[in-house]
Amino acid sequence: MSFTIYSALIPMAKHLLNNQSKILSKASNYAAENSIDPNSLLNARFAPDMFPLTRQVQMATDTVKKGAARLAAIEAPVFEDVEATIPELQERIAKTVAFLESIPESAFEGAETRALKIPLGPGLLVDFTGQNYLTQWVLPNFIFHTTTAYDLLRHQGVTLGKRDFLG
């Protein structure tokens, strides 16, 4: 078996997303056990100009579903950013995992050399090969947002360790 775009992205993304859902369960339990409003966890941020926990989860799921879709040359589902509870975030994660599972491995054949033009902001279109898009954009951003979500909850007192993140 060779190392492919599929093998570099899909199993790892599913694994981290499932772990993130479990981490959110721990956060929900922590809030209930300590009489903490779950909204204080969902709105937690490290700095005023930083996205809160809810948006970190949304960005993680968007990054990986859009990245996988572009690399597989298919359309990604659109999720409205309306999640306001931990169960809603977990449902978003579950929908993302289901989408990733629906993409056949064969859809990624040739993805490493596929030419991609990726919009990165108003008026900004960046050229990538599939391999560069995966290694320089999708994976770093996905890991950044999943790690930040973990760190925000840990900073709020949720009892988490590296094993929770890695599974």
Side-chain angles (χ1 to χ4, degrees):
M1 173 187 245
S2 63
F3 195 71
T4 64
I5 294 286
Y6 177 91
S7 65
L9 176 61
I10 301 301
M12 183 272 300
K14 288 173 25 183
H15 182 72
L16 285 183
L17 287 170
N18 287 323
N19 292 348
Q20 187 156 76
S21 187
K22 291 174 189 171
I23 287 168
L24 288 170
S25 290
K26 282 192 164 192
S28 183
N29 293 339
Y30 174 81
E33 291 165 3
N34 293 283
S35 301
I36 295 171
D37 180 359
N39 287 325
S40 67
L41 300 177
L42 294 171
N43 293 313
R45 60 179 83 212
F46 290 120
D49 65 342
M50 186 176 191
F51 288 132
L53 174 73
T54 298
R55 188 72 183 127
Q56 297 295 339
V57 174
Q58 292 167 340
M59 294 291 291
T61 57
D62 280 349
T63 297
V64 77
K65 75 178 167 67
K66 288 178 183 177
R70 288 172 177 146
L71 289 163
I74 62 173
E75 289 295 318
V78 175
F79 300 160
E80 299 298 323
D81 296 329
V82 295
E83 294 81 15
T85 66
I86 289 173
E88 288 172 353
L89 287 174
Q90 290 174 305
E91 176 60 28
R92 183 184 181 110
I93 290 169
K95 289 189 308 187
T96 303
V97 169
F99 171 68
L100 296 176
E101 290 175 338
S102 76
I103 307 171
E105 187 170 352
S106 61
F108 292 91
E109 289 175 13
E112 51 281 330
T113 57
R114 187 169 291 137
L116 300 168
K117 289 187 179 298
I118 307 300
L120 297 183
L124 181 59
L125 202 59
V126 178
D127 293 317
F128 286 103
T129 64
Q131 182 175 334
N132 288 344
Y133 177 58
L134 175 70
T135 61
Q136 296 173 15
W137 189 261
V138 177
L139 293 177
N141 276 287
F142 175 65
I143 293 168
F144 172 85
H145 291 293
T146 55
T147 301
T148 301
Y150 165 91
D151 290 342
L152 284 166
L153 289 171
R154 176 99 192 251
H155 186 68
Q156 294 298 309
V158 179
T159 305
L160 297 170
K162 188 175 182 180
R163 254 186 212 177
D164 294 298
F165 185 82
L166 295 177

